[in-house]
Amino acid sequence: MVREKVRVSTRTLQWKCVESRADSKRLYYGRFILSPLMKGQADTIGIVIRRTLLGEIEGTCITRAKSEKIPHEYSSIVGIQESVHEILLNLQEIVLRSHLYGTCDATICAKGPGYVTAQDIITPPFIEIIDNTQHIATLTEPIDLRIFLQIERSRGYRTTGKMIIDGSYPIGSVFMPVRNVNHSIHSYGTGNEKHEILFLEIWTNGSLTPKEALREATRNLIDLFIPFLHTEEENFHLEDNQHMVPLRPSSRSDQFVKIKKKKKLALKSIFIDQLELPPRVYNCLKSNNIYTLSDLLTNSQEDLMQLEHFRVEDIKKISDILKKNFGVDLPKNKV
């Protein structure tokens, strides 16, 4: 567990982690402060961050299971102590971490007698099982158990529905990696000098640390406000304010400089997570400290081809995404 002494600064607004601990593989805790804030700001930020942490962060879950030995959800299988329904509930509790886009398949292969745990799940390399000891079933006889799984990354939660045609069973999925969030406010000072400190407590299921969850929530909030940064101010003045006196050439030049700076700021606020890149390409960029669109555009196609495991088709994929969504492209050669 890490604890730090809380010091109040009246100069620079900053986040700070004052406590961090792992109670178990599936329960992480973090406590953060933001200060100094003006009166009323702490409650505004606390409410927005809490809602984002609980509802906007994506997680990875097992969403379906299928086995030829399962006649229906409430049946029991000879040689297995748990009912099918209990096994599905156990699969619902498995905690996974991934950068998956969409869905992928996994398999459970086990032979009895013995215990079947999360360690017996065979997953793609980009899926990580947080706690391999999580219990799934108990095999009481020398039988083979084979279950096909569907894994999905999404947000919020999903209730179970009806069995689909291929015989797979839906599993109620809670994609939210953040289990709980509390925020509290401490006020200090008097009169016009009154300030606030926001205390934020975050509990996660282990697939993300509280610090990672807070960073992800902040990125999601930035995404919501990016359209305002993309507003073309020069068009707004020309179309909606025809009655106003035109700017002098020097003032108009200053205005364009300000707009250019805002666009650069917007590029820094767009993270490569949002580009919907294939997992291998995403991980390759991230491992080379390319986190934002601004970072990506500082590299040429020649630079990216020098990265380990990078391919020509990866360059084409990135270029297509940049042209389609942002109207920009990577330079071919080093500047």
Side-chain angles (χ1 to χ4, degrees), residues 4-118:
E4 293 188 18
K5 199 171 184 180
V6 179
R7 295 179 182 176
V8 177
S9 169
T10 57
R11 296 180 180 178
T12 305
L13 183 67
Q14 63 179 2
W15 279 106
K16 188 175 183 181
C17 179
V18 294
E19 185 176 353
S20 176
R21 68 172 187 261
D23 294 331
S24 69
K25 289 184 178 180
R26 287 177 280 152
L27 183 59
Y28 281 61
Y29 171 81
R31 189 164 182 253
F32 307 85
I33 62 170
L34 176 63
S35 68
L37 295 164
M38 296 176 63
K39 184 178 179 181
Q41 289 182 334
D43 196 41
T44 300
I45 296 172
I47 292 172
V48 172
I49 284 287
R50 183 178 187 276
R51 290 177 65 91
T52 306
L53 283 165
L54 291 174
E56 297 294 327
I57 299 181
E58 293 186 341
T60 306
C61 289
I62 299 172
T63 55
R64 306 199 77 86
K66 178 182 179 181
S67 176
E68 296 175 355
K69 296 183 178 181
I70 301 177
H72 59 81
E73 182 179 350
Y74 296 99
S75 63
S76 59
I77 302 174
V78 176
I80 301 180
Q81 181 174 305
E82 292 82 2
S83 67
V84 174
H85 181 68
E86 289 172 325
I87 293 175
L88 294 177
L89 290 177
N90 290 337
L91 290 173
Q92 181 179 327
E93 297 298 320
I94 301 295
V95 179
L96 303 172
R97 176 188 174 102
S98 78
H99 295 296
L100 171 70
Y101 291 98
T103 63
C104 71
D105 297 324
T107 310
I108 296 176
C109 293
K111 185 177 180 64
Y115 295 104
V116 181
T117 65

Side-chain angles (χ1 to χ4, degrees), residues 207-221:
S207 62
L208 288 179
T209 66
K211 188 176 292 187
E212 288 173 328
L214 185 57
R215 186 182 299 117
E216 187 70 22
T218 304
R219 289 177 181 176
N220 288 343
L221 285 173

Side-chain angles (χ1 to χ4, degrees), residues 224-238:
L224 293 176
F225 290 99
I226 280 179
F228 296 103
L229 296 176
H230 287 169
T231 301
E232 297 293 335
E233 292 187 19
E234 64 270 32
N235 291 339
F236 175 82
H237 286 297
L238 290 172

Side-chain angles (χ1 to χ4, degrees), residues 173-184:
S173 307
V174 180
F175 295 100
M176 301 177 289
V178 177
R179 290 188 171 185
N180 193 21
V181 181
N182 286 334
H183 80 276
S184 57

